Amino acid sequence: MVDTKPVVFFVLGGPGSGKGTQCAKMVDQYGFAHLSAGDLLREEVILLFHFISLIDQKQRDSGSETAQLINQYIVEGKIVPVEITCQLLKKGMEKKGWAEKRFLIDGFPRNQDNFDGWDRVMGDLVEVPFVLFFDADEETMINRIMERSKTSGRNDDNIESLKKRFDTFKKETMPIVDLFDSNGKTQKINALRTIDEVFEDVKKAFEPYL
Ligand SMILES: Nc1ncnc2c1ncn2[C@@H]1O[C@H](COP(=O)(O)OP(=O)(O)OP(=O)(O)O)[C@@H](O)[C@H]1O
Ligand SMILES: Nc1ccn([C@H]2C[C@H](O)[C@@H](COP(=O)(O)O)O2)c(=O)n1
Ligand SMILES: [Mg+2]
């Protein structure tokens, strides 16, 4: 039987490097499935708070605790424990019908805990041909995020949270990018040009999978 493992491409880069923007273009133009770990975590907080009034006391306490924990991690720019994030990603993949898809998993794995947790749960179930890494300097990324903050409504799009997110990115995420790189699995993209120029390089990286 032909192996039908889903193909997963991780998408990494600093805050505001353009991960979500470029993934959206891959979805629109080539039908890739896109899951952003950050988006899934934000949605989970909303869902847990929203349904809290509908469930019994015991579930309510645990749901509210989880929502508060995720929210706190996000505002502090820290990485949520992988048990939570990996389950959300797995469920998201299943919902999209995972066996036939090419997945872009954006903002994951963000640290060693993410990397190890994914490997435990998903390592044998999917193929990961490479990691796309959007390279940009901090000043550019700060400018983009501060502009985005005018409309995003994100509670971590402010200078205090942003400093912490950059700190986490440098200390915890870059070693993961380097780890993939040492196995020849990082495709680095210069993210400092226009959205369309960056997308030209993104397409080249995915050429064998289009
Ligand atoms: N190449 C680009 N040139 C100028 N602006 C860009 C470019 N790419 C993205 N942007 C803008 O920068 C902001 C951040 O982009 P995006 O949301 O895609 O980043 P991200 O990497 O997903 O960030 P985060 O990690 O915070 O989710 C958005 O407002 C987007 O429109
Ligand atoms: N693997 C992940 C991805 C995201 N988060 C949390 C912490 C991030 O600062 C925040 C926002 O992510 P983004 O939308 O910028 O990709 O979400 C995490 O804990 N683990
Ligand atoms: Mg994003």
Side-chain angles (χ1 to χ4, degrees), residues 11-16 19-20 36-42 70 73-82 85-86 89 105-111 114 145 148 154-157 161 164-166 168:
V11 181
L12 292 175
K19 302 179 291 296
S36 152
D39 286 349
L40 289 171
L41 288 163
R42 284 184 286 274
I70 297 173
Y73 271 75
I74 287 177
V75 173
E76 288 298 315
K78 294 192 299 186
I79 308 302
V80 172
V82 70
T85 315
C86 197
L89 288 170
I105 299 208
D106 157 2
F108 187 94
R110 276 292 231 282
N111 64 3
N114 275 190
I145 296 275
R148 188 180 69 182
R154 280 178 55 162
N155 60 3
D156 60 346
D157 275 357
S161 291
K164 295 173 184 167
R165 290 160 68 195
F166 277 118
T168 302

Side-chain angles (χ1 to χ4, degrees), residues 81-145:
V82 70
E83 289 71 21
I84 296 175
T85 315
C86 197
Q87 271 319 302
L88 292 174
L89 288 170
K90 188 162 180 276
K91 268 200 285 179
M93 289 175 74
E94 285 162 356
K95 223 160 120 184
K96 285 183 187 281
W98 79 334
E100 295 171 48
K101 296 269 185 180
R102 297 159 299 175
F103 287 93
L104 300 169
I105 299 208
D106 157 2
F108 187 94
R110 276 292 231 282
N111 64 3
Q112 193 66 44
D113 175 56
N114 275 190
F115 182 93
D116 294 338
W118 174 273
D119 197 44
R120 278 193 299 274
V121 177
M122 305 294 283
D124 292 335
L125 307 178
V126 302
E127 298 292 344
V128 181
F130 62 81
V131 173
L132 202 61
F133 170 60
F134 290 107
D135 193 24
D137 61 86
E138 209 164 300
E139 192 188 341
T140 302
M141 294 191 275
I142 291 174
N143 289 337
R144 287 183 188 171
I145 296 275

